[in-house]
Amino acid sequence: MTTFEASQGRRREVAGTHPVIGGFHPDPSVCRVGEDYYLVNSSFEYSPGVPVWHSADLVRWTQIGNALTGAGRFRAGQAGASRGIYAPTLRFRAGRFWLITTDVSSGGGQLLTSATDPAGPWAPAVVIDGLEGIDPDLAWDDDGACYVTYCSTRPGMEGIAQARVDLERAVALEEPRLVWRGTGLAFPEAPHLYRRDGWWYLVIAEGGTERGHGVCVARARNPEGPFQPAPTNPVFSHRSTTHPVQNTGHADLVETPDGGWAAVYLGVRPRGTTPMFHVNGRETFLAGVDWIDGWPRFDEDRFACEIPDRSFVDTFAGPGLHPRWVSPGAPLQEFVTATGPGVTLAPATCPSGNVSALMARVTDERWRLDVTLDTSGGAAGVLLRLDDQHWCELRAADGSAHAVLRIGPLESRVGEATTGLGPAPTVRIASEPPTHGGPDDIALSVVRDGRGVTLARFDGRYLSTEVAGGFTGRTAGVRALSGTVHVGSVRYEADDAYTGPRP
Ligand code: 6LW
């Protein structure tokens, strides 16, 4: 679609400096079925949970659904910021996709679901008890025994642990055993176990998910170990480099149909002055993998790709909502009515206290979001959220609008437009070039005669992970503050794919 007026021709980049799935899509897990690849991400407090993606080439991905839709033991709207659903693993076996993850807000245990079609429906989620920790992996040995290998948080058993499980009954078949403590870096986590060439490779993340993040590997002849670490550990990291993509780690490997290998991993794109700020959370990147002397080596230049144009216009023509839409609070079905065209929103609350809003992950470094509203039945808020303590909102009602900014405990009214908006305004939030050394400026505007009139502008660092902490990135969207609000359309224009001056 058309992007900003001032944008120019497309540019080419490689996957190593640009995500293959932009925006808050961390902890990628990938599997291949024939010529098709499927990938999932963690989703924290947002529901529906665990976005599911399809690709034919590992480079271009389309979201086909969300795996945790609220059935069974997954309860949406319960989790505070950066709690809820942590790293998942997706695997395919005997005609069925298996997905295992952790809901850290529901008292431990590993959450399991399955589907024959990864677009859904997914079975109601069940819990495997007795495996206290996060980041569960699934692997099967030649006899069909299924191993869950995970990051144990059990006191006295911290490290990478493992137990055989019965997936059909969702039970552990033995007490978990510690299989590796990692190489000695912080937080050995995110294990994945693979069979290759007579070895079992245990790939993990270490160093923490910040600038020290990396990928380490060990191998054994038996899936239960004993595991011997690679002499080249960490086999992949951008720590202490000036690479534009930082925090790289948490990899999952996949074999391609030609016998080659690739890895998806998470990384961030920090911008601005020191310590630099990343705002879109941890994103999904892609590298080739070579096996050198029996150990994996990452090749970030393997997959040259054109940066995708992630712009969209959603007029909610239905049927159903696009899978991009999520809520950090009450589940969407509790406050969104698809009236088609457009949607009607009502206010909603939930146990976590998080805002209930129709939100989409922001996927690009420079972008703008226009929301066309009908506020004749209530008051609307168009918001950009990092978490419940770091957000901004443009509130529109009765023909006027004002902007609110929340940074930690400080909440302030930062701009007004008092007249002439009418009952059907278009309001805009945009990421613009930084004026204070931050990653960007955020501008909140109302659109009059097709032009944005800015009510408030502030340094985007206040909606960054370096300021807010946590595991998530920015999401943008709309909610009803009172009464009912009709949303005619949401237009997201992304500029990452283009070169040239930006407006
Ligand atoms: C995840 C852990 C991690 O469970 O961050 O980067 C945690 N790695 O493996 C939350 O995504």
Side-chain angles (χ1 to χ4, degrees):
M1 60 168 283
T2 347
T3 66
F4 298 147
E5 306 80 62
S7 294
Q8 296 178 351
R10 279 174 181 272
R11 63 183 180 202
R12 293 186 71 82
E13 289 248 359
V14 293
T17 55
H18 200 88
V20 287
I21 302 179
F24 147 47
H25 291 105
D27 306 325
S29 176
V30 64
C31 72
R32 179 175 64 83
V33 183
E35 305 272 313
D36 294 296
Y37 298 92
Y38 299 93
L39 185 148
V40 292
N41 302 103
S42 46
S43 49
F44 303 93
E45 68 265 37
Y46 288 85
S47 74
V50 183
V52 183
W53 300 82
H54 169 261
S55 174
D57 59 8
L58 285 168
V59 172
R60 284 164 292 205
W61 292 91
T62 305
Q63 190 180 355
I64 56 172
N66 293 281
L68 295 179
T69 48
R73 292 283 294 275
F74 170 63
R75 286 162 59 232
Q78 310 284 318
S82 285
R83 302 287 293 164
I85 299 301
Y86 274 32
T89 292
L90 180 68
R91 296 290 182 258
F92 180 78
R93 185 172 170 87
R96 202 154 153 197
F97 292 86
W98 289 95
L99 186 140
I100 190 165
T101 180
T102 318
D103 182 350
V104 299
S105 301
S106 74
Q110 307 304 332
L111 207 56
L112 181 72
T113 180
S114 67
T116 49
D117 181 349
W122 286 83
V126 294
V127 167
I128 304 179
D129 286 319
L131 311 177
E132 302 111 291
I134 58 170
D135 302 353
D137 172 74
L138 293 173
W140 289 261
D141 73 7
D142 287 343
D143 299 326
C146 180
Y147 289 89
V148 171
T149 308
Y150 63 103
C151 170
S152 166
T153 53
R154 183 185 287 188
M157 205 179 83
E158 293 89 356
I160 306 302
Q162 186 185 70
R164 282 179 296 124
V165 297
D166 180 336
L167 290 183
E168 300 295 344
R169 293 191 296 130
V171 291
L173 298 173
E174 59 185 343
E175 271 297 300
R177 297 160 275 103
L178 211 54
V179 291
W180 194 28
R181 287 190 191 275
T183 69
L185 298 174
F187 305 119
E189 59 189 7
H192 290 299
L193 193 58
Y194 315 91
R195 186 110 205 233
R196 182 190 170 273
D197 212 9
W199 291 97
W200 288 88
Y201 286 88
L202 179 56
V203 173
I204 69 167
E206 277 193 295
T209 197
E210 300 80 25
R211 297 291 191 269
H213 212 200
V215 177
C216 294
V217 58
R219 69 181 185 185
R221 290 292 184 191
N222 187 295
E224 301 182 11
F227 287 96
Q228 298 300 321
T232 46
N233 279 325
V235 296
F236 182 57
S237 180
H238 286 174
R239 63 184 186 178
S240 303
T241 69
T242 55
H243 197 286
V245 179
Q246 290 289 317
N247 305 21
T248 51
H250 202 123
D252 194 11
L253 274 54
V254 65
E255 191 172 1
T256 53
D258 60 4
W261 287 72
V264 291
Y265 57 95
L266 73 78
V268 306
R269 294 182 281 169
R271 289 175 290 159
T273 54
T274 187
M276 301 178 77
F277 307 90
H278 74 278
V279 299
N280 288 339
R282 300 167 303 158
E283 307 176 286
T284 293
F285 290 80
L286 173 69
V289 171
D290 297 314
W291 294 88
I292 310 291
D293 299 328
W295 297 103
R297 191 167 71 186
F298 283 51
D299 173 7
E300 293 169 75
D301 296 327
R302 175 80 47 88
F303 294 95
C305 70
E306 193 169 73
I307 296 173
D309 181 356
R310 290 178 284 253
S311 307
F312 68 83
V313 180
D314 201 331
T315 55
F316 305 99
L321 291 174
H322 189 281
R324 70 168 66 92
W325 296 109
V326 290
S327 167
L332 294 170
Q333 61 270 23
E334 288 185 15
F335 64 93
V336 181
T337 308
T339 41
V343 284
T344 301
L345 309 180
T349 56
C350 69
S352 68
N354 284 342
V355 65
S356 301
L358 182 67
M359 309 286 283
R361 293 159 170 92
V362 175
T363 52
D364 297 83
E365 294 194 312
R366 197 66 40 75
W367 53 272
R368 75 185 180 201
L369 183 90
D370 284 2
V371 182
T372 304
L373 299 162
D374 180 342
T375 54
S376 52
V382 172
L383 70 159
L384 179 65
R385 176 185 196 265
L386 200 289
D387 65 21
D388 46 336
Q389 304 286 309
H390 301 84
W391 49 263
C392 62
E393 184 165 59
L394 222 155
R395 295 179 177 164
D398 299 328
S400 68
H402 67 273
V404 177
L405 174 60
R406 169 78 182 249
I407 306 168
L410 306 176
E411 188 172 319
S412 190
R413 200 158 161 136
V414 287
E416 320 259 343
T418 45
T419 51
L421 265 193
T426 296
V427 302
R428 171 176 296 169
I429 302 183
S431 163
E432 298 187 348
T435 53
H436 296 95
D440 57 0
D441 276 7
I442 298 299
L444 305 175
S445 314
V446 294
V447 180
R448 289 184 201 267
D449 305 323
R451 296 185 61 83
V453 178
T454 299
L455 308 190
R457 172 186 293 273
F458 64 93
D459 186 336
R461 77 178 65 194
Y462 300 116
L463 305 188
S464 76
T465 297
E466 283 72 9
V467 168
F471 295 130
T472 59
R474 290 177 181 168
T475 56
V478 54
R479 64 171 172 155
L481 297 160
S482 64
T484 58
V485 169
H486 188 75
V487 180
S489 68
V490 176
R491 167 183 281 260
Y492 173 78
E493 295 192 44
D495 212 25
D496 274 16
Y498 295 84
T499 58
R502 301 176 196 257

